[in-house]
Amino acid sequence: MTVTEAKTFLQSLRSTAKQIAEKDRVLQLLRTQLTLSSGQDNSPRVKASPDPGLERIMCVVLDLEAEKKALEKEFSRDRELTLRCLSRIQKGQYCAVLFFRYICAESWNTICLKLHLSRPWVMRLHRQAVALFAQELEESVKRYMGDT
């Protein structure tokens, strides 16, 4: 596996986490709208037919929940693989940089502060760590393909 492919894999982990968070935020807003629209004030309401607007919102909520669940499954699988690969990397600083960046989704500035290192040094560590991660990821994929 190339370094570019490994970096793309790691970046997709961050991207998936952001997508999950965004879907969760939208779901919370829609659920709030449903609660307010459905008359949760305990006053009796009589309607001849269901509100089509509420039905549409419910359909959107169900679709978003399904999409979020699929993303969570993908994220969990990729996170597990990433952690497995990181556990095989012997250099602690390499693991720390990749862990903070891609598992914890930290900014470069936060990583620099946590590791007490300059940004150029963290970027150098990152390049080296991604190269090692690429090797470990390739080995993990080979092992997985050999098991199936």
Side-chain angles (χ1 to χ4, degrees):
M1 176 162 296
T2 68
V3 171
T4 303
E5 291 170 332
K7 193 171 183 180
T8 300
F9 173 82
L10 289 167
Q11 289 170 337
S12 74
L13 195 63
R14 280 177 62 101
S15 174
T16 303
K18 288 178 184 178
Q19 289 175 43
I20 291 168
E22 180 60 21
K23 287 191 187 305
D24 196 42
R25 187 185 69 76
V26 171
L27 281 167
Q28 288 175 354
L29 291 171
L30 289 173
R31 286 186 186 116
T32 299
Q33 186 177 357
L34 277 173
T35 301
L36 295 174
S37 298
S38 65
Q40 296 292 329
D41 58 0
N42 294 328
S43 61
R45 296 189 187 268
V46 178
K47 288 191 176 181
S49 63
D51 184 348
L54 290 179
E55 285 182 15
R56 271 183 267 146
I57 292 172
M58 279 301 296
C59 288
V60 170
V61 166
L62 293 173
D63 288 344
L64 279 174
E65 285 175 342
E67 291 171 15
K68 181 183 166 199
K69 187 174 181 177
L71 284 171
E72 287 171 337
K73 185 176 179 180
E74 175 187 337
F75 178 79
S76 179
R77 181 197 66 222
D78 291 350
R79 183 179 186 272
E80 176 69 28
L81 177 57
T82 300
L83 291 172
R84 201 174 320 124
C85 291
L86 288 179
S87 73
R88 292 189 186 103
I89 295 176
Q90 298 298 313
K91 296 195 178 199
Q93 284 186 323
Y94 290 175
C95 292
V97 168
L98 296 179
F99 181 81
F100 288 138
R101 182 67 180 169
Y102 300 106
I103 301 296
C104 300
E106 298 286 3
S107 69
W108 290 117
N109 289 337
T110 301
I111 294 169
C112 293
L113 290 172
K114 285 185 176 192
L115 298 179
H116 306 289
L117 298 170
S118 68
R119 187 175 178 115
W121 190 255
V122 167
M123 299 311 290
R124 184 178 308 134
L125 285 174
H126 178 262
R127 281 190 303 277
Q128 295 166 347
V130 170
L132 276 178
F133 181 82
Q135 294 171 357
E136 291 299 332
L137 187 57
E138 183 173 10
E139 288 300 315
S140 288
V141 169
K142 283 180 185 176
R143 274 193 291 275
Y144 175 77
M145 297 306 267
D147 291 345
T148 56

